Amino acid sequence: QVQLVESGGGLVQAGGSLRLSCAASGRTFSSYIMGWFRQAPGKEREFVAIIMWSGIIKQYTDSVKGRFTISRDNAENTVDLQMNNLKPEDTAVYYCAAADSSTMQTIPSAYNYWGQGTQVTVSS
């Protein structure tokens, strides 16, 4: 079992920044692919960013490229999402997730463990 707890959400004006953090406990954190997903009201949960075990290989959805950065610290069992130049369309509940997989995964069903989510609201 892996337990995930997100923090760092909040209300910010368009153009502002937020840093989300996910703390993991339980089984070996470094063996999991870690991802950030988001879900806006009335919409399906969507992939935002993922990072492989080493922390070197990363992937982002097109709408956040150049604005968001995912990182992980395997010694501290954390994965962060730095979000810059936020836009109103980034408003959603953001979820941290862990996948026991050897390949990059962008679909929610591939992830074994989820956090409770943290709300990000960007005002125009």
Side-chain angles (χ1 to χ4, degrees):
Q1 289 287 337
V2 174
Q3 293 79 42
L4 304 173
V5 179
E6 303 98 334
S7 61
L11 173 64
V12 64
Q13 289 188 334
S17 298
L18 282 174
R19 188 176 184 89
L20 304 183
S21 186
C22 175
S25 60
R27 295 179 62 185
T28 307
F29 172 78
S30 60
S31 67
Y32 286 85
I33 296 171
M34 299 301 298
W36 284 97
F37 291 77
R38 65 187 179 187
Q39 188 167 16
K43 295 187 177 181
E44 293 187 351
R45 192 167 299 188
E46 65 172 356
F47 152 73
V48 176
I50 54 176
I51 187 167
M52 296 293 280
W53 318 284
S54 66
I56 297 174
I57 299 174
K58 308 173 185 180
Q59 184 175 344
Y60 300 91
T61 193
D62 286 346
S63 63
V64 308
K65 286 180 180 177
R67 300 189 298 122
F68 290 13
T69 302
I70 189 171
S71 61
R72 69 188 293 167
D73 185 333
N74 289 336
E76 296 294 328
N77 287 2
T78 59
V79 58
D80 292 347
L81 186 68
Q82 177 66 42
M83 306 185 295
N84 298 329
N85 191 21
L86 283 160
K87 303 176 180 181
E89 51 264 42
D90 295 318
T91 295
V93 177
Y94 283 71
Y95 297 90
C96 172
D100 185 6
S101 174
S102 59
T103 58
M104 301 287 270
Q105 301 288 347
T106 62
I107 58 173
S109 61
Y111 285 75
N112 310 90
Y113 304 101
W114 292 85
Q116 82 288 350
T118 185
Q119 177 69 47
V120 171
T121 303
V122 184
S123 62
S124 57

